[in-house]
């Protein structure tokens, strides 16, 4: 939801972005951090940009009396460039300080030579008056001094900075005396105790010893003697210093290296001239020095490295050409065999790190990517550890042991750093802490210091600093800290900072919170940048949060005027051209918008329903769609089914008559099929009178047309009338007699016929010939006429009992009566026909 200030939508976005579990299940969570982070001191002169590795990480460190001594300062540019400063820390901010005042200003420490034995530091230093010589210190300026000028004056007893190897309470090192030969020396920190152990190769060249490592109570080293460069041992005395074995007979050199002790047995590599570079072992005696395995048959020299003791097994890497394999040995040839091949696309170097009962290593492949492996020394238990957080792969940058735990740094984005731990399972892998970081790459190592870890990293608020990490379940932490956050632009230039500070958990009040982007800070469009938060509690513990924030056009264009549906009629079976109503598109950032409509505007759409989709896409790829159905329907009604408007039939009986009619052939421009419904069907029995028949023709689209046929059933046939025969009446009365005759008969198929007589029965008739008019009139007014004659004869002798009783007479009045009767019958007949 938008507001004028923009606060509402940005806060809501942050809540959505950080929802859900932050870590793999089964371990500590972001809400319950396992490690606290404290700043000890700045690392002056160090650089953390462009992948720079700090001198704290790469230079030697040494511990003395509970303090860690280390070097920091600008990058070393050349062999003679010595810009570094010696510092020390006791693990507190107050106890972390420069140790530059240990040395006189005329002397410069060789930072690569720092070493310690109980109660004392050793290093070499160079001055214009004494050259490069061995120095010692007890951690105070008074206790810091040149041990001995091996070559008096400005000449150097140590020509190049060489390793100082602790051996008991002394150090062993290579030095050149005034005779000019380089041999093995030792020092206990006193001038008298700084002596050459043995002149292995007398003469100007010297034996040039390389110290390889301790083995039991002795130190093994390689030295160039009459036998070539071979394996030697020393216990710090001339008598206890001797050749272990001439591995390569004659003047050739076996060049032993990589000494690793596993119990009383020490393993190393050497070339005896027959087997190439192979694995050897020794107990410090000639008899106890033997070939373990040549690994690769022939004189080819594979590279052996990363010797790591895992219980009673020695693990190491063998590089044969471009292929690297993990091997193991128990000190026997049969027990020396490959464990697992590393990825074939391997690039870079691989380091084995032991933590607890397992060893771990990282591989980087061109196709396989970065993978974390765990092994117990067997092929079955050498597997990849699949690490994920919120569906994203967790990629370690380096590995280190913290007690029996394996820890590693991980960079969730270009601005953040996190310390994780693993036991080799996905469930046992989780984040311990977020570390303040503004470096472009993670630190390359962490340094154990007592129960703590020390790590250099770059805080955006406190610069490149040395930080201390401790196991601490009450440490403060930012609960919601997404690695990446996309912020929607609110205008063409970007937006403003309105992100709420992530919620905190743990810590001791009061907490001071810092942010790299205060409220209202302009945020530019299409730029990724780190937004940092740091919170420091009353104990100096620091919580860190670094988010990779990108301001981007995340809002799709708005389409206005999209119809819900359209219905179009057509008179064509091919459909109809359809034109959509106008619509508008608005874009919040004002950029160009590309719109499209499928099917295009004006396209001929087929009969039926077609889904039309409008799409608006801005330059950032955000897309809005608007879809609506367009129905093209049959708008053509079919032709009428009525071919006639009226049908007349003659009644067949009192119930009427059956009627039939012709119907027009079906015709429709769009639909192929039509159906016709009727209120009456042809052949139905229709009653007398007019019946209206409706015919409705309907096409496939439901269009219909109704027409009407009037079915007229009429009775137009007159009754069938039969008159009686002529009648003769005798009368004894001069005036005549009354009419008396048999009745006529009439038949009609539709209705009863009514008979009318003129003259009627009983009408007085004068003697003479009389005509009787009979009219048969049915219910429809149809009339039938017939007549017969009555002859009235005067016969005085006739039975007088048949006298009329009164005389009608035979004058004009009698003729007028007959005429009136006939007129009445004709009138009634016409009236009924008109009603039909």
């Amino acid at each position: 939801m938008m507001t004028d200030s923009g606060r509402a939508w940005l806060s809501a976005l942050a809540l959505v972005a950080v929802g859900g579990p932050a870590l793999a299940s089964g371990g500590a969570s972001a809400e319950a951090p396992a490690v606290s982070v404290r700043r000890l001191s700045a690392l002056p002169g160090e650089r953390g940009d462009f992948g720079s590795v700090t001198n704290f990480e790469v230079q030697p460190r040494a511990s003395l009396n509970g303090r860690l001594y280390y070097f920091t300062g600008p990058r070393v540019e050349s062999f003679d460039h010595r810009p570094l400063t010696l510092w020390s820390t006791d693990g507190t901010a107050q106890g972390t300080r420069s140790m530059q005042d240990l040395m006189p200003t005329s002397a410069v420490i060789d930072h690569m030579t720092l070493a310690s034995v109980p109660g004392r530091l050793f290093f070499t230093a160079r001055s214009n008056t004494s050259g490069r010589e061995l120095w010692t210190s007890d951690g105070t300026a008074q206790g810091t001094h040149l041990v001995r000028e091996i070559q008096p004056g400005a000449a150097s007893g140590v020509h190049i900075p060489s390793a100082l190897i602790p051996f008991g309470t002394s150090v062993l090192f290579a030095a050149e005396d005034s005779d000019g030969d380089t041999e093995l020396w030792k020092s206990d920190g006193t001038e008298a105790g700084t002596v050459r152990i043995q002149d292995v190769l007398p003469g100007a060249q010297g034996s040039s010893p390389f110290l390889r490592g301790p083995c039991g109570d002795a130190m093994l080293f390689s030295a160039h003697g009459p036998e070539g460069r071979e394996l030697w041992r020393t216990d710090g005395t001339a008598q206890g210093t001797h050749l272990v074995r001439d591995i390569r007979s004659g003047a050739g050199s076996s060049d032993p290296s990589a000494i690793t002790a596993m119990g009383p047995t020490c393993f190393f590599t050497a070339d005896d001239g027959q087997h190439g570079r192979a694995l050897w072992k020794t107990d410090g005696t000639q008899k106890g020095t033997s070939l373990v395995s040549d690994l690769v048959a022939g004189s080819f020299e594979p590279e052996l490295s990363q010797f790591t003791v895992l219980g009673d097994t020695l693990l190491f890497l063998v590089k044969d050409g471009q292929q690297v394999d993990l091997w193991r040995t128990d000190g026997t040839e049969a027990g020396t065999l490959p464990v697992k091949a590393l990825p074939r696309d391997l690039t870079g170097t691989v380091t084995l790190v032991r933590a607890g009962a397992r060893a771990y290593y990282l591989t980087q492949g061109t196709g396989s990517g970065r993978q974390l492996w765990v092994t117990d020394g067997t092929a079955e238990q050498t597997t990849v550890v699949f690490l994920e957080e919120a569906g994203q792969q967790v990629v370690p940058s380096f590995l280190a042991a913290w007690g029996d735990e394996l820890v590693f740094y991980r960079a969730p984005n270009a601005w953040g750093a996190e310390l994780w731990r693993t036991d080799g399972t996905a469930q046992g892998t989780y984040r311990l802490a977020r570390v303040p970081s503004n470096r472009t790459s993670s630190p390359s190592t962490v340094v154990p210091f007592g129960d703590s870890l020390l790590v250099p990293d770059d805080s955006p608020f406190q610069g490149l600093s040395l930080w201390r990490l401790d196991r601490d379940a009450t440490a403060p932490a930012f609960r919601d800290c997404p690695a990446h956050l996309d912020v929607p632009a609110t205008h063409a230039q970007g937006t403003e900072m309105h992100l709420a500070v992530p919620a905190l958990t743990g810590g001791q009040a009061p907490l001071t919170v810092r942010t790299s982007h205060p409220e209202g800070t302009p945020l530019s469009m299409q730029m990724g940048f780190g937004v940092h938060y740091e919170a420091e509690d009353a104990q100096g513990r620091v919580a860190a949060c670094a988010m990779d924030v990108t301001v981007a056009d995340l809002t799709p264009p708005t389409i206005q005027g999209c119809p819900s549906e359209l219905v179009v009629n057509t008179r064509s079976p091919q459909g109809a051209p359809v034109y959509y109503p106008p619509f508008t598109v608005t874009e919040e950032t004002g950029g160009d918008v590309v719109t499209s409509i499928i099917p295009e505007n004006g396209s001929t759409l087929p009969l039926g329903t077609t889904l039309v989709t409008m799409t608006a896409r801005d330059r950032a790829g955000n897309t809005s769609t608007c879809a609506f159905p367009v129905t093209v329907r049959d708008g053509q009604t079919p032709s009428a089914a009525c071919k006639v408007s009226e049908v007349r039939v003659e009644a067949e009986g009192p119930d009427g008559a059956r009627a039939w009619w012709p119907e027009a052939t079906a015709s429709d421009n769009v639909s192929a099929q039509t159906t016709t419904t009727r209120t009456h069907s042809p052949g139905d029995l229709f009653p007398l009178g007019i019946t209206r028949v409706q015919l409705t023709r309907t096409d496939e689209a439901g269009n219909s047309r109704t027409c009407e046929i009037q079915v007229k059933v009429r009775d137009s046939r007159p009754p069938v009338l039969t008159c009686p025969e002529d009648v003769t009446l005798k009368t004894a009365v001069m005036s005549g007699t009354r009419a008396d005759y048999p009745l006529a008969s009439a038949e009609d198929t539709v209705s009863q016929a009514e008979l009318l007589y003129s003259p009627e029965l009983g009408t007085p008739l004068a003697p003479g010939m009389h005509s009787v008019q009979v009219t048969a009139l049915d219910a429809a007014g149809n009339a039938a006429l017939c007549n017969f004659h009555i002859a009235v004869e005067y016969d005085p002798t006739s039975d007088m009992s048949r006298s009329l009783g009164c005389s009608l007479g035979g004058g004009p009045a009698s003729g007028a009566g007959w005429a009136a009767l006939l007129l009445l019958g004709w009138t009634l007949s016409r009236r009924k026909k008109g009603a039909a």
Side-chain angles (χ1 to χ4, degrees):
M1 179 176 179
M2 293 291 294
T3 65
D4 290 340
S5 66
R7 183 186 302 273
W9 62 256
L10 195 52
S11 296
L13 180 61
L15 290 175
V16 172
V18 300
L23 302 172
S25 61
S29 68
E31 289 73 18
V35 167
S36 64
V37 181
R38 289 179 173 86
R39 180 178 184 269
L40 297 184
S41 174
L43 294 174
E46 297 275 16
R47 293 175 55 187
D49 57 343
F50 306 111
S52 299
V53 179
T54 64
N55 286 296
F56 177 86
E57 298 168 72
V58 298
Q59 300 301 334
R61 296 169 296 272
S63 296
L64 176 65
N65 301 328
R67 301 185 67 85
L68 180 72
Y69 289 79
Y70 60 93
F71 288 95
T72 183
R75 182 180 302 173
V76 178
E77 302 292 348
S78 66
F79 177 78
D80 292 326
H81 185 220
R82 300 289 180 262
L84 302 184
T85 303
L86 181 65
W87 282 62
S88 74
T89 182
D90 64 356
T92 67
Q94 298 79 8
T96 303
R97 63 179 183 270
S98 170
M99 304 302 293
Q100 190 67 14
D101 58 354
L102 289 181
M103 300 292 293
T105 57
S106 60
V108 178
I109 298 176
D110 293 320
H111 49 80
M112 293 178 288
T113 63
L114 187 64
S116 65
V117 298
R120 188 160 296 281
L121 291 175
F122 285 94
F123 50 86
T124 63
R126 184 187 60 185
S127 71
N128 293 330
T129 58
S130 61
R132 179 178 287 110
E133 298 290 354
L134 182 66
W135 287 63
T136 188
S137 176
D138 63 0
T140 66
Q142 297 78 10
T144 302
H145 58 84
L146 174 67
V147 176
R148 172 182 171 179
E149 287 194 70
I150 297 175
Q151 289 210 36
S156 296
V158 182
H159 273 286
I160 59 174
S162 61
L164 304 179
I165 305 301
F167 186 65
T169 58
S170 301
V171 291
L172 303 180
F173 61 100
E176 179 181 327
D177 60 14
S178 57
D179 295 335
D181 59 343
T182 302
E183 295 292 349
L184 183 63
W185 286 64
K186 75 170 183 178
S187 175
D188 62 1
T190 66
E191 183 175 4
T194 303
V195 295
R196 184 177 66 186
I197 297 177
Q198 187 181 110
D199 190 0
V200 174
L201 185 62
Q205 182 178 358
S207 65
S208 300
F210 292 130
L211 295 163
R212 295 305 184 183
C215 183
D217 58 358
M219 178 69 66
L220 297 181
F221 64 97
S222 68
H224 189 79
E227 307 84 358
R229 181 168 292 278
E230 296 293 347
L231 184 65
W232 288 66
R233 74 174 299 277
T234 183
D235 62 1
T237 68
Q239 298 78 10
T241 303
H242 59 80
L243 175 69
V244 175
R245 175 176 172 177
D246 185 6
I247 296 175
R248 188 166 188 166
S249 300
S253 298
S254 66
D255 195 16
S257 63
I259 302 294
T260 302
M262 185 171 73
T265 304
C266 296
F267 293 85
F268 62 98
T269 68
D271 182 0
D272 63 359
Q274 299 178 16
H275 302 91
R277 179 65 55 176
L279 181 65
W280 288 69
K281 67 179 180 179
T282 184
D283 61 1
T285 67
Q286 180 178 4
K287 184 178 180 180
T289 303
S290 61
L291 174 70
V292 177
S293 173
D294 63 354
L295 305 176
V296 179
S299 60
F300 181 77
E301 290 198 6
E303 298 179 28
L304 282 65
S305 63
Q306 296 298 311
F307 290 92
T308 303
V309 176
L310 196 64
D312 57 359
T313 299
L314 181 68
L315 299 179
F316 55 97
L317 299 179
V318 176
K319 183 177 181 181
D320 182 6
Q322 297 300 315
Q323 176 58 36
V324 180
D325 297 327
L326 176 67
W327 283 64
R328 61 173 292 171
T329 186
D330 60 1
T332 67
E333 184 174 10
T336 304
L337 65 162
V339 177
K340 179 82 75 173
L342 274 63
R344 291 295 192 265
D345 59 350
L346 188 69
T347 60
T349 59
V350 177
T351 302
L352 294 179
V353 176
R354 183 182 65 82
R358 295 180 175 185
Y360 301 81
Y361 57 96
L362 287 171
T363 61
Q364 178 71 50
T366 54
S368 58
R370 197 168 183 85
Q371 295 178 318
L372 172 63
W373 295 75
V374 61
T375 182
D376 65 354
T378 65
E380 297 77 15
Q381 296 300 318
T382 302
T383 58
V384 174
V385 181
F386 294 100
L387 307 179
E388 285 190 349
E389 180 190 25
Q392 299 295 319
Q393 184 182 11
V394 173
V395 180
S397 58
F398 71 89
L399 306 178
W402 192 3
D404 289 337
E405 285 188 314
L406 183 81
V407 295
F408 60 87
Y409 248 45
R410 176 223 179 186
N413 51 44
W415 320 98
E418 298 174 347
L419 181 70
W420 285 61
R421 65 87 66 186
T422 186
D423 60 2
T425 67
Q427 295 76 16
T429 304
Y430 50 86
R431 182 175 62 236
L432 294 174
R434 295 187 182 96
V435 181
S437 179
N438 198 30
R439 299 176 68 176
T440 55
S441 62
S442 295
S444 61
T445 187
V446 292
V447 176
F449 181 65
D451 293 331
S452 305
L453 293 179
L454 302 183
V455 60
D457 219 327
D458 192 6
S459 164
F461 307 101
Q462 304 182 68
L464 193 59
S465 303
L466 184 61
W467 303 82
R468 173 179 167 178
L469 283 60
D470 292 281
R471 293 180 175 89
D472 184 354
T474 65
F478 285 103
R479 186 177 60 209
D480 301 324
C481 182
H484 182 84
L485 188 63
D486 286 327
V487 175
T490 56
H491 47 75
Q493 289 71 39
T495 187
E496 292 76 37
M497 182 68 176
H498 299 295
L499 186 62
V501 175
L504 279 162
T505 183
Q508 180 178 334
L511 282 88
T512 302
V513 179
R514 310 175 186 92
T515 177
S516 59
H517 290 72
E519 177 82 7
T521 302
L523 306 179
S524 299
M525 185 83 159
Q526 299 297 339
M527 287 185 62
F529 49 89
V531 173
H532 297 266
Y533 295 94
E534 280 188 16
E536 185 173 353
D537 74 352
Q539 296 183 23
R541 298 175 295 183
V542 174
C545 171
M547 294 181 288
D548 183 10
V549 175
T550 300
V551 179
D553 181 2
L554 303 178
T555 306
T558 301
I559 301 176
Q560 296 173 324
C562 182
S564 58
E565 65 175 339
L566 290 179
V567 178
V568 178
N569 291 326
T570 182
R571 294 176 177 270
S572 169
Q574 284 73 41
V578 178
Y579 296 90
Y580 315 126
F583 64 94
T584 59
V585 177
T586 57
E587 164 62 15
E588 189 173 54
T589 60
D592 296 332
V593 178
V594 177
T595 60
S596 63
I597 304 178
I598 300 176
E600 295 180 356
N601 199 13
S603 298
T604 297
L605 303 186
L607 288 165
T609 300
T610 300
L611 185 65
V612 176
T613 302
M614 296 181 179
T615 302
R617 183 186 301 273
D618 62 21
R619 59 187 177 187
N622 301 305
T623 301
S624 291
T625 59
C626 159
F628 57 92
V630 175
T631 301
V632 177
R633 60 184 302 264
D634 180 2
Q636 173 73 52
T637 58
S639 60
C642 300
K643 194 171 185 178
V644 297
S645 61
E646 182 180 271
V647 174
R648 295 184 180 184
V649 294
E650 189 67 27
E652 299 170 355
D655 294 330
R658 297 185 182 277
W660 285 264
W661 55 83
E663 294 183 2
T665 302
S667 176
D668 192 294
N669 291 339
V670 180
S671 297
Q673 298 291 332
T674 61
T675 58
T676 303
T677 59
R678 307 164 182 84
T679 57
H680 299 77
S681 297
D684 284 355
L685 183 64
F686 289 85
L688 287 165
I690 298 175
T691 300
R692 289 176 171 81
V693 178
Q694 289 187 339
L695 281 71
T696 301
R697 181 164 285 166
T698 305
D699 62 17
E700 294 170 308
N703 300 306
S704 63
R705 178 176 289 184
T706 301
C707 60
E708 185 177 281
I709 298 176
Q710 290 188 356
V711 176
K712 294 183 178 181
V713 179
R714 62 180 182 175
D715 182 7
S716 62
R717 297 172 183 170
V720 177
L721 179 62
T722 303
C723 280
E725 298 292 330
D726 291 345
V727 177
T728 300
L729 297 177
K730 301 283 187 184
T731 180
V733 181
M734 291 286 294
S735 57
T737 186
R738 294 183 182 274
D740 186 17
Y741 44 80
L743 297 178
S745 64
E747 294 182 359
D748 194 286
T749 60
V750 179
S751 61
Q752 289 289 338
E754 181 183 1
L755 295 176
L756 300 176
Y757 298 87
S758 179
E760 296 179 353
L761 286 173
T763 301
L765 299 176
M769 185 64 69
H770 298 274
S771 177
V772 178
Q773 182 74 36
V774 181
T775 302
L777 190 65
D778 62 17
N782 300 304
L785 298 176
C786 68
N787 58 67
F788 62 93
H789 295 87
I790 299 176
V792 178
E793 295 179 356
Y794 176 67
D795 183 3
T797 64
S798 63
D799 190 358
M800 295 304 293
S801 62
R802 299 181 59 181
S803 173
L804 293 173
C806 61
S807 177
L808 179 61
S814 175
W818 283 106
L821 287 173
L822 289 174
L823 179 61
L824 175 62
W826 180 82
T827 301
L828 291 174
S829 174
R830 296 297 299 172
R831 183 181 303 163
K832 290 184 178 181
K833 287 181 180 180

